[in-house]
Amino acid sequence: LKGRDLWVLVLGKFPTHHKIGIPEFKYVANMHGDETVGREILLHLIDFLVNSYGRDPVITRLLNNTRIHIMPTMNPDGFEATKVPDCYYTRGRYNRNGEDLNRNFPDAFENNSASIQPETQAVMDWIKNETFVLSANLHGGALVASYTFDNGNPVTGSLKGYSRSPDDDVFIHLAKTYSSNHASMYKGTGCDNRQTFPDGITNGYSWYQLEGGMQDYNYVWGQCFEITLELSCCKYPPADQLEKFWRDNQVALIEYIKQVHLGVKGQVTDKNGNPIPNAIVEAKGRPHVCPYRTNEQGEYFLLLLPGTYVINATVPGFKSMLKTVEIPDNTGNFSALKQDFSFPEVSDQIRSRVTSCPKTPLYQELTRASAAVKPTIHILVLMTVMLVIFK
């Protein structure tokens, strides 16, 4: 059986290329081949967006100000292999090589021994080549919006059964945006009596621990906030139910895309106005384990809820620039707050050449660091006590 291609349709005013200031958004479905609802509703979504452009003022503004990438199936081989549809599980979940694609990405917490599959590599390359800001991947088998982290360790709070990212508030907002606009997800009843999800959302790790998941990879290595949407209790429902699934999700799919315009965006330039790639731009108090950097056009995008933040821009070898910003809710205007940074002492000859963030389990380093700090504190306390005694 020949490995099938992964097709993506890009929609927007400038679909063929990235345009400065216009954020990139993506939906990916069917990475488990037997989970079919997402695949079908993304085809409906494409049809809806194309036919509404120029007719519906909201959709027109959304497409004029957002570049939307839609991959209806990430696992076409698994889908084709699902000969007997089943609500619960079939071998079509896996790709042609029998691998689970949502356990196949590099993991920030532990060494993932799974060999990288062609589909996974293609998605990793895609993430690397675009400046994705927001994303969701669509699954079936439950009814809930799940958010990062899927894996964890003591540094992220896993001992308390919740693996918290530095942007936990944003992720909760994103998950609630989808669930509250869905026909029934917000009720949180789940698919059986054993599972309930308050507000129809869950931290991934709180639900169940998962190594090598795509949403954590997007957030850590892709600078892209991704959540996982479980859209149907039945993985492969009868065809006559598909229209209802589209109706249940239509508003939520659109409202979620609008969230790509949360927060702050801008360009980092040198004294001649040339873009500075690889400059680090982060909100103070929420550092990422892989620092978020500007793209080739010197652009950055930070998803942040309305409020006051200090944005720190750093060009390696030069003094950091701090700017305090008051972020409004701009999603209705289809543009995040704009805040540029210009480094007058940087000339266009100087370019920070930075290799991409290593694929090692980055949070293992943090665990070791925090463990190494503890004895030092004990020694300091001991020394202080001894000084007091000898005095």
Side-chain angles (χ1 to χ4, degrees):
L1 184 71
K2 185 176 179 289
R4 292 167 176 81
D5 291 333
L6 304 185
W7 288 93
V8 178
L9 187 75
V10 188
L11 301 169
K13 193 174 182 181
F14 309 98
T16 57
H17 59 280
H18 176 70
K19 194 92 169 151
I20 289 171
I22 292 185
E24 308 280 342
F25 177 93
K26 66 179 161 71
Y27 274 134
V28 176
N30 197 218
M31 74 185 298
H32 292 142
D34 62 344
E35 296 171 15
T36 56
V37 171
R39 173 187 168 113
E40 295 296 323
I41 67 170
L42 288 188
L43 296 173
H44 277 282
L45 177 65
I46 290 166
D47 183 58
F48 174 74
L49 291 172
V50 169
N51 285 308
S52 300
Y53 187 75
R55 297 179 184 177
D56 181 314
V58 173
I59 300 301
T60 304
R61 288 185 71 197
L62 182 65
L63 285 165
N64 284 344
N65 293 285
T66 322
R67 192 158 169 250
I68 301 167
H69 305 241
I70 297 176
M71 181 188 279
T73 175
M74 186 181 155
N75 185 2
D77 294 340
F79 176 78
E80 291 295 334
T82 310
K83 300 296 183 199
V84 183
D86 193 295
C87 269
Y88 299 104
Y89 167 82
T90 73
R91 285 178 59 196
R93 172 187 178 89
Y94 306 109
N95 78 341
R96 189 169 58 128
N97 299 329
E99 293 287 345
D100 187 329
L101 298 177
N102 206 29
R103 309 289 187 278
N104 196 241
F105 285 81
D107 193 273
F109 297 92
E110 51 200 298
N111 274 310
N112 190 358
S113 57
S115 61
I116 301 285
Q117 295 300 299
E119 297 92 340
T120 311
Q121 190 60 56
V123 168
M124 286 165 64
D125 293 343
W126 183 36
I127 291 166
K128 189 179 172 186
N129 293 331
E130 299 285 356
T131 307
F132 287 120
V133 180
L134 182 63
S135 172
N137 74 84
L138 282 53
H139 289 254
L143 192 63
V144 68
S146 171
Y147 57 90
T148 282
F149 285 117
D150 269 332
N151 205 350
N153 63 14
V155 169
T156 58
S158 65
L159 294 175
K160 294 177 181 170
Y162 189 110
S163 190
R164 191 180 306 277
S165 76
D167 296 293
D168 194 59
D169 56 341
V170 182
F171 276 110
I172 289 169
H173 165 79
L174 293 171
K176 280 187 176 175
T177 296
Y178 199 93
S179 70
S180 64
N181 285 288
H182 185 277
S184 59
M185 189 185 286
Y186 68 93
K187 295 175 184 172
T189 46
C191 295
D192 56 39
N193 297 329
R194 292 168 300 159
Q195 257 179 5
T196 57
F197 300 108
D199 298 320
I201 70 169
T202 183
N203 172 252
Y205 186 89
S206 294
W207 186 15
Y208 61 92
Q209 186 179 5
L210 186 159
E211 180 190 310
M214 185 162 71
Q215 72 176 11
D216 286 5
Y217 179 84
N218 268 276
Y219 176 65
V220 173
W221 283 288
Q223 303 190 180
C224 173
F225 287 46
E226 177 168 285
I227 67 171
T228 300
L229 299 169
E230 301 279 354
L231 298 182
S232 61
C233 295
C234 182
K235 288 178 185 256
Y236 201 133
D240 61 9
Q241 292 181 17
L242 292 173
E243 185 67 37
K244 183 179 187 306
F245 280 116
W246 162 241
R247 286 199 308 270
D248 287 353
N249 286 278
Q250 180 179 348
V251 175
L253 287 164
I254 300 298
E255 289 304 313
Y256 185 76
I257 298 172
K258 291 180 187 175
Q259 306 312 305
V260 77
H261 298 290
L262 273 175
V264 62
K265 67 182 180 183
Q267 257 185 314
V268 180
T269 53
D270 63 20
K271 67 177 183 184
N272 300 316
N274 297 312
I276 303 177
N278 290 319
I280 296 171
V281 185
E282 306 241 84
K284 234 176 159 186
R286 48 180 77 210
H288 299 101
V289 68
C290 250
Y292 278 24
R293 296 178 180 273
T294 55
N295 65 10
E296 282 301 308
Q297 286 89 23
E299 287 177 287
Y300 75 91
F301 296 86
L302 292 175
L303 291 185
L304 295 163
L305 298 185
T308 307
Y309 300 86
V310 176
I311 308 300
N312 183 343
T314 305
V315 176
F318 295 87
K319 192 170 180 285
S320 292
M321 286 182 109
L322 301 175
K323 291 196 179 176
T324 303
V325 295
E326 186 69 44
I327 295 177
D329 180 1
N330 261 355
T331 53
N333 297 327
F334 302 100
S335 175
L337 178 73
K338 201 167 185 323
Q339 178 63 68
D340 295 333
F341 291 86
S342 177
F343 280 80
E345 71 274 31
V346 181
S347 68
D348 57 339
Q349 278 82 30
I350 298 166
R351 280 288 175 269
S352 50
R353 293 273 170 258
V354 181
T355 53
S356 57
C357 207
K359 296 292 187 289
T360 54
L362 297 164
Y363 278 91
Q364 278 189 4
E365 302 301 319
L366 286 187
T367 313
R368 278 199 281 274
S370 61
V373 168
K374 283 168 188 161
T376 318
I377 294 165
H378 295 154
I379 290 162
L380 281 171
V381 171
L382 198 64
M383 283 170 68
T384 314
V385 171
M386 283 172 77
L387 279 169
V388 171
I389 291 166
F390 286 126
K391 270 186 182 175

